Every structure is written in structure tokens, then in C-alpha cells.
Amino acid sequence: MEKVALVTGASSGIGLDTAFKLLEKGFKVYGAARHTDQIKPIEAKGGKALYLDLTDSASIQNCVKAVIEAEGRLDVLVNNAGYGLGGAIENIPVEDAKKQFEVNVFGLAEITRAVLPVMRAQRSGRIINISSVAGRFSSPFLGWYHATKYSVEALSDALRLEVKSFGIDVVVIEPGMIKTPWGKIAADHMRKFSEDSAYSDNAKKVADFYEKNYSESGHISSPAVISNAIVKACTKRRPKARYLAGKNAKAMVFLKKLLNDRLYDKAVQVIFRFK
């Protein structure tokens, strides 16, 4: 039987590459995003394009309903959609912080809730949540983003235990530094929200660090590294609960485990050249 997969955030980068690779593996793939014109390449390869706005409950329900009505089942949900919001915790408007949670956490949770009834009825299914190494440690001027990824980690751990008896697997993918627009976007936000504030000097240093490291391909991994990990999580008979992948992912998580909080803070200050 041909397996059915729904991939959110499928308009570019990791999501688009994942959709292509699942199609190659024989999945029937539905790619979902706000900009449906950008997911037409999925249709060109035999998949389907769907509109999805994770801040809109009706959009989420309509997206899942379209898949279920067309296929009668759903085997894999890849929760890839999300974005990074940079800036000092004090400086970012609360409404912007709430929107970050709406997309990265509550949208992810709502679409997951929408697919669970059909997966429970099937007694099978797999939910792949794209978290980040940012869900395993925190760094300055990305506090709200880290908070969303910590939330994804916690929700995934709880959900994995809740749905295991129904034959549903929950897997977390934790990318390290990946060649996507994420770093440039986060850096622009840091400068925007911290300009002319008490945090401007250090925020600029962190923004410059991310912009430099995410623009030099020698320092970061291709999105293919993550899409390969996602496909592995989708196809293995017994997937791991977590997959760390991408440049420096394992090293960064290991460093946080190795150092106590005081030493970790010192290391971060040295990396970003804080005074």
C-alpha cells in the first residue's frame, strides 16, 4: 500500500527537499505552505500542493481534511514549518513573541491533534517534529526562538508516551547549522529589535556571527543532511526518538552537557566576543 505523507513548510529548503525524497521513496506526498506557488515543483514530481497557515485553525483543519478525504489515511506528518525570531527578550514586542509560539508550537500542536484520530483508527502513523539543537541549550538574542524549540521537545516527549500504545511513533529531528535563510533572517531581526537599545553592541556581534556562519557554505551543512534524517525517520521500522544532524549539532549538545552553567556562559561569551 502506498504510504501518505503530509509535509508542512514545504515551499523551500528542508521541507521541499524532504517532499522530493519521500516521493522518490514511493510515498504519496502532500506539501503544505502559505505560498502555494512555491510548492508547485512538488506537483510537477507527482505530489500535491496544499495551502496551510499554521496561525489559522480553519486552514489547519481544511488542510488535513483535504488529505484524509482524498486518501482515506495518513501515515506520516512532518512538522517542518517554523521560523526564528532574533532579538533581546526585553526588546521584542510581546505580540511578535506570541506569533513565534503560534507558528512554532501551537500550530504544530494543532495540526498534530488534527491527524491523531485517523492515525489512531489506523493503529499506525508517524509524527516527525523538526526541532533544533536550539531545543537543547540557549544562547543570547534568540531566547524566544529557543523557548519554542524547548516546547517542541517537551511536547514531543509527552506525546510519544501518550500515543505509543496506538502504534504511533513520535520522532524529533534536531538540526544543527544548516544552509538556509534562517541565519540571515534571525540576524536581521536582532539588528532591527536591538538597534539603539542597551543591547545593541552585543546583539550586533551575535547577528554578525550568524550572518557570517550561515552565508559561508564551508561552515554549515546542506538541507539534504536534514531531509535525509527525516526520510530515515519516516522509513525505518523502529526509528530513534531523536536524530541530531548537521554541522556541529552533536558537538554543541555535548558541550552543553559537559559544562556547568557558569562555564557554559563563559564559553558563549567568548564565542560571541562579549565584553
Side-chain angles (χ1 to χ4, degrees):
M1 180 184 295
E2 191 175 34
K3 289 191 174 182
V4 180
L6 171 60
V7 181
T8 73
S11 58
S12 63
I14 293 168
L16 185 60
D17 200 47
T18 297
F20 288 160
K21 286 176 177 170
L22 288 175
L23 284 165
E24 291 171 2
K25 290 288 186 180
F27 281 76
K28 182 165 282 190
V29 176
Y30 286 78
R34 286 185 301 133
H35 303 291
T36 53
D37 58 312
Q38 295 179 17
I39 46 180
K40 293 300 182 184
I42 294 174
E43 290 189 321
K45 290 182 177 291
K48 302 288 185 181
L50 293 173
Y51 174 77
L52 174 64
D53 180 352
L54 284 173
T55 66
D56 182 345
S57 293
S59 175
I60 291 171
Q61 296 300 323
N62 288 337
C63 178
V64 173
K65 182 180 178 182
V67 178
I68 303 306
E69 287 186 347
E71 307 298 338
R73 64 182 297 109
L74 180 61
D75 300 285
V76 175
L77 169 65
V78 180
N79 278 316
N80 171 68
Y83 71 100
L85 183 63
I89 291 171
E90 181 181 351
N91 292 343
I92 291 176
V94 171
E95 288 307 311
D96 290 274
K98 287 180 178 179
K99 184 178 179 181
Q100 173 95 128
F101 270 86
E102 284 292 334
V103 175
N104 290 10
V105 181
F106 295 113
L108 175 149
E110 188 166 0
I111 196 167
T112 298
R113 284 161 52 99
V115 307
L116 282 174
V118 70
M119 288 186 174
R120 280 190 287 102
Q122 295 167 182
R123 306 294 295 184
S124 67
R126 197 158 291 182
I127 296 166
I128 315 294
N129 290 333
I130 312 306
S131 178
S132 169
V133 292
R136 303 283 289 273
F137 60 84
S138 295
S139 58
F141 304 105
L142 282 171
W144 290 114
Y145 176 71
H146 283 285
T148 65
K149 293 304 182 180
Y150 271 69
S151 297
V152 170
E153 297 275 336
L155 286 171
S156 298
D157 284 345
L159 185 65
R160 187 175 65 250
L161 293 166
E162 291 171 2
V163 301
K164 189 67 178 176
S165 61
F166 300 108
I168 303 170
D169 294 311
V170 178
V171 180
V172 176
I173 308 291
E174 299 169 325
M177 299 179 73
I178 308 299
K179 190 177 182 181
T180 69
W182 183 92
K184 177 66 166 61
I185 294 169
D188 287 344
H189 284 154
M190 288 177 199
R191 296 189 183 101
K192 171 187 173 183
F193 288 120
S194 300
E195 188 177 17
D196 299 326
S197 79
Y199 303 97
S200 59
D201 288 346
N202 283 342
K204 183 181 183 303
K205 290 176 182 178
V206 177
D208 290 346
F209 174 89
Y210 280 107
E211 192 165 69
K212 177 183 177 182
N213 282 279
Y214 276 84
S215 63
E216 296 179 6
S217 59
H219 289 278
I220 55 179
S221 300
S222 162
V225 172
I226 306 305
S227 57
N228 287 339
I230 296 170
V231 171
K232 183 185 293 186
C234 290
T235 56
K236 283 187 73 71
R237 189 173 67 86
R238 296 183 64 185
K240 295 191 294 186
R242 278 178 172 75
Y243 290 85
L244 271 168
K247 187 73 173 181
N248 295 328
K250 293 180 180 178
M252 288 187 284
V253 171
F254 176 74
L255 183 67
K256 183 63 174 70
K257 287 182 177 180
L258 181 67
L259 303 179
N260 62 36
D261 290 340
R262 188 181 298 275
L263 288 175
Y264 174 77
D265 289 354
K266 287 289 186 183
V268 171
Q269 290 173 317
V270 169
I271 289 170
F272 291 127
R273 300 179 181 178
F274 287 178
K275 291 180 181 178

